[in-house]
Amino acid sequence: MIQKLFLVVFVLLIAVTFSPAYAQHHSGSLAPPVDFDGLKLSLIALLTPEDFTLDDSENPNLSIRLFDSDTDINVKSVTYRIQIFYKNDLVANEYFFDEDGKLDLEIKPRSECIHQDLWKCTTYYGEKHPIAGGYYARGDSIPVIQGPVFDKNGQYEINVSIVGATNPKTMTTKDLLFETFVEIPQKETFFVKTANAQEFPISIKSYNSETSNFNYDVSQEKITFETTPQPNAHQHHSNFEQVIILEKDFESFKDGYAVDVFVEGTQLNDEFIEFDVSSRDVNIIKIEIPNEEFPSFNNDNSLNVEISPGNLIEYSVLDLKFDNNVSANVSWDSKLETGKNIPFTFSFFDSSNNPAEEILFAYSIIDSSGKEIWSNIGSGESYLGILAKNGMAKESIFIPENGKYQLKLILTGQNYQNFENFLISQIDFELSQSQMDKKETPTVPDWVKKNAGWWSSGIIGDQEFVQSLQFLIKEDILLIPTTDSITSESQEIPDWVKKNAGWWSEGLVADSDFVAGIQYLISSGILVV
């Protein structure tokens, strides 16, 4: 654990103040404080990766930390009794010991169990402490729990009893019981085909809900589905959450473009959506909506969800350099408004301009009066800083108003180890009303031009392409005199119009020329308006 003095010096360096946060989240929960020998002790249990499911390649890690809630300092030499329940069935029951008050356990989920009492199928690996008697970490080796633990979706109750603290020989007169929980999402995988007949898996991880009526619209590159809360789903967890996992080669959703999400016909604000492209293999869309935004979800009503690729994002970018030849750029969507959380992307590069792996960093933002408005030093116990695993990390930052600001960025380490001396770089930037109000000439979404190319090649039919035109007219992107709607008739569309559409999709024909072709179809009665 980082020495207290070291923390204090760094906190003063970037003028950060912090205190323990008490919250509940699907990946774990923080139990309320209890009194122990004049101290108010609290315990937190966290599961990483936070969206773990059984078929993931990486085993999860369960972290349990006991600390003084007033000072946020860990209690030393703790003996734990850990009981894990799934739907009232005991699946694990064992004693553990940890010197620094933070216990890390590797979980190896196994579904095969022939016993009615599931805990009989659970085994434990590691060394036992010679005095405390519980399994404990020694060197780089941590205790392992293997069995029917976190092998199913749903809520797991984790009851942690503190039977000893401050010394391996010191036992509490009465066990201190902390009740926490973690939730394992339900993962469903659907296979879709693109216009060129390539098949891709799309996985959806849902918390406390089930997915139905999944569909992928090739012509609009749109994912749609319904999600329905499970019974008793909101006992602890009230937010609506979905994690959509897409392969990198699935080009409908790609880096540099926005993701538009509609729930019950209402477009979500960007603060509820995260498009994570930091992984080498997959892109991940994360949706988290506070319960108050859609209270009907708690009334067992299903929600209709639509996800489609948005327009090209115009980024504002800050470039920073450090003395160890690492460089960074910090970017955000220039069209987003202040007064709410704005997603900032922190990207780090080595001297060869390749992503700098496993970077640890902290930052603060200061306004024109010198007041710090936002900061983050990370939440790791064994290192200081936020981990940019593949050289990239996203932070949701609240910027109160337009104006001039200063970003102070600090490299604190790499590869899970802190540097002896931190590296600091800072830069001034401005968010102005003129930047926010900047209007762009309406652009045709890429998916519409792709449709035009596919239509010209005969990959999609007339009706699918007409739907694209309906979208353009509705959005006032293509201004064509219309009355009610466009419908496709059986008359044959001239080859030159399809050729025009293909050239338009490749950028060889201007929008005005393409519109002239559509107007011809309308005036000829081939497309009825």
Side-chain angles (χ1 to χ4, degrees):
M1 193 169 106
I2 300 169
Q3 295 179 357
K4 186 177 179 182
L5 177 61
F6 184 68
L7 274 171
V8 171
V9 171
F10 181 71
V11 168
L12 290 175
L13 176 66
I14 61 173
V16 174
T17 59
F18 64 95
S19 59
Y22 299 94
Q24 293 183 338
H25 193 258
H26 59 76
S27 62
S29 62
L30 177 61
V34 300
D35 290 328
F36 172 69
D37 197 22
L39 301 176
K40 287 186 177 180
L41 300 186
S42 194
L43 182 139
I44 188 169
L46 289 174
L47 187 70
T48 53
E50 65 177 26
D51 58 357
F52 169 81
T53 53
L54 181 61
D55 59 352
D56 289 353
S57 59
E58 181 182 357
N59 286 330
N61 184 89
L62 179 63
S63 174
I64 297 174
R65 176 187 173 222
L66 181 69
F67 61 98
D68 183 337
S69 61
D70 289 331
T71 64
D72 199 31
I73 296 175
N74 288 5
V75 178
K76 305 288 187 180
S77 302
V78 181
T79 302
Y80 307 84
R81 181 189 181 190
I82 297 177
Q83 296 178 303
I84 303 176
F85 296 85
Y86 179 73
K87 295 183 178 178
N88 298 319
D89 289 330
L90 181 66
V91 297
N93 182 19
E94 190 51 84
Y95 289 89
F96 299 89
F97 175 81
D98 196 85
E99 289 282 359
D100 64 8
K102 180 176 179 290
L103 176 67
D104 288 310
L105 303 170
E106 181 183 359
I107 310 296
K108 294 184 176 181
R110 298 291 186 271
S111 296
E112 308 83 10
C113 182
I114 61 175
H115 294 286
Q116 184 175 359
D117 297 324
L118 297 179
W119 62 269
K120 293 181 179 180
C121 293
T122 303
T123 54
Y124 308 88
Y125 301 95
E127 294 193 44
K128 286 194 172 183
H129 193 275
I131 300 175
Y135 289 94
Y136 78 116
R138 186 168 184 179
D140 294 332
S141 177
I142 64 174
V144 176
I145 300 177
Q146 179 175 295
V149 181
F150 307 147
D151 64 317
K152 303 177 183 67
N153 69 288
Q155 180 174 289
Y156 285 79
E157 302 285 345
I158 302 175
N159 292 344
V160 181
S161 299
I162 306 301
V163 300
T166 70
N167 188 294
K169 297 180 180 179
T170 302
M171 308 301 290
T172 57
T173 56
K174 182 180 179 181
D175 290 357
L176 304 178
L177 176 62
F178 296 89
E179 296 180 345
T180 64
F181 71 93
V182 299
E183 295 201 24
I184 305 300
Q186 174 173 292
K187 182 179 180 179
E188 301 168 272
T189 301
F190 307 89
F191 289 88
V192 303
K193 285 188 177 180
T194 59
N196 58 6
Q198 279 187 288
E199 189 174 68
F200 290 94
I202 297 178
S203 295
I204 300 179
K205 292 185 177 183
S206 307
Y207 294 92
N208 304 318
S209 62
E210 293 183 348
T211 301
S212 61
N213 297 325
F214 179 91
N215 182 61
Y216 175 66
D217 187 325
V218 177
S219 63
Q220 297 188 41
E221 299 184 292
K222 180 171 64 176
I223 297 169
T224 60
F225 56 87
E226 292 182 7
T227 183
T228 306
Q230 297 174 351
N232 303 319
H234 303 281
Q235 181 178 357
H236 293 293
H237 184 62
S238 59
N239 289 354
F240 166 74
E241 289 194 48
Q242 301 263 287
V243 178
I244 296 92
I245 303 170
L246 312 164
E247 289 190 355
K248 282 288 186 185
D249 293 337
F250 186 66
E251 293 188 351
S252 294
F253 299 87
K254 53 190 176 182
D255 189 17
Y257 287 78
V259 174
D260 295 334
V261 179
F262 293 80
V263 178
E264 291 294 292
T266 300
Q267 185 168 6
L268 297 186
N269 293 331
D270 292 305
E271 61 186 301
F272 301 138
I273 308 165
E274 179 184 347
F275 187 35
D276 184 357
V277 298
S278 61
S279 170
R280 291 189 181 90
D281 303 318
V282 297
N283 291 333
I284 300 174
I285 302 170
K286 297 180 181 179
I287 306 169
E288 181 170 2
I289 312 171
N291 177 44
E292 56 269 18
E293 293 290 326
F294 286 95
S296 60
F297 186 59
N298 272 354
N299 297 329
D300 296 333
N301 296 322
S302 63
L303 295 179
N304 295 306
V305 181
E306 296 183 3
I307 305 172
S308 57
N311 292 326
L312 182 68
I313 298 174
E314 182 179 346
Y315 286 105
S316 294
V317 182
L318 305 176
D319 294 311
L320 302 99
K321 295 186 180 297
F322 298 89
D323 291 341
N324 62 349
N325 293 322
V326 170
S327 60
N329 66 52
V330 181
S331 59
W332 67 96
D333 187 341
S334 61
K335 295 189 291 297
L336 297 182
E337 298 178 353
T338 56
K340 60 180 68 175
N341 283 13
I342 296 177
F344 281 69
T345 300
F346 292 77
S347 303
F348 299 91
F349 305 92
D350 61 21
S351 56
S352 301
N353 207 32
N354 296 316
E357 303 284 330
E358 316 290 356
I359 284 289
L360 296 172
F361 72 99
Y363 68 91
S364 69
I365 294 180
I366 301 167
D367 66 16
S368 57
S369 69
K371 178 183 176 182
E372 180 185 270
I373 63 165
W374 198 271
S375 63
N376 193 353
I377 61 173
S379 57
E381 286 298 310
S382 58
Y383 54 79
L384 186 66
I386 305 160
L387 176 63
K389 190 171 180 60
N390 296 306
M392 181 185 296
K394 282 197 174 184
E395 289 283 300
S396 185
I397 300 175
F398 181 77
I399 305 294
E401 59 187 3
N402 298 317
K404 295 182 178 180
Y405 296 92
Q406 181 184 85
L407 169 68
K408 184 175 291 185
L409 186 60
I410 305 99
L411 294 189
T412 63
Q414 193 169 14
N415 297 322
Y416 301 94
Q417 299 290 325
N418 283 119
F419 296 142
E420 182 176 349
N421 297 307
F422 296 159
L423 303 169
I424 304 174
S425 184
Q426 60 191 43
I427 190 170
D428 295 330
F429 67 101
E430 182 176 3
L431 295 175
S432 63
Q433 192 62 44
S434 59
Q435 179 188 38
M436 301 301 175
D437 291 343
K438 183 169 52 180
K439 301 293 184 182
E440 297 181 350
T441 302
T443 57
V444 178
D446 282 356
W447 66 263
V448 176
K449 290 194 174 185
K450 284 182 181 178
N451 274 7
W454 293 336
W455 178 59
S456 69
S457 302
I459 296 175
I460 65 173
D462 295 349
Q463 188 59 43
E464 288 84 357
F465 184 60
V466 165
Q467 291 174 357
S468 303
L469 301 182
Q470 289 173 328
F471 171 85
L472 295 181
I473 294 171
K474 179 181 177 183
E475 297 296 320
D476 291 330
I477 295 173
L478 294 183
L479 301 178
I480 298 175
T482 63
T483 54
D484 293 323
S485 61
I486 296 178
T487 58
S488 179
E489 297 291 324
S490 59
Q491 297 183 47
E492 183 179 356
I493 297 176
D495 286 342
W496 69 265
V497 177
K498 288 193 173 184
K499 285 182 181 179
N500 225 20
W503 293 335
W504 178 59
S505 71
E506 298 172 3
L508 301 177
V509 171
D511 288 359
S512 58
D513 294 330
F514 176 71
V515 169
I518 299 302
Q519 288 174 327
Y520 168 84
L521 296 180
I522 295 172
S523 61
S524 302
I526 298 173
L527 291 181
V528 179
V529 177

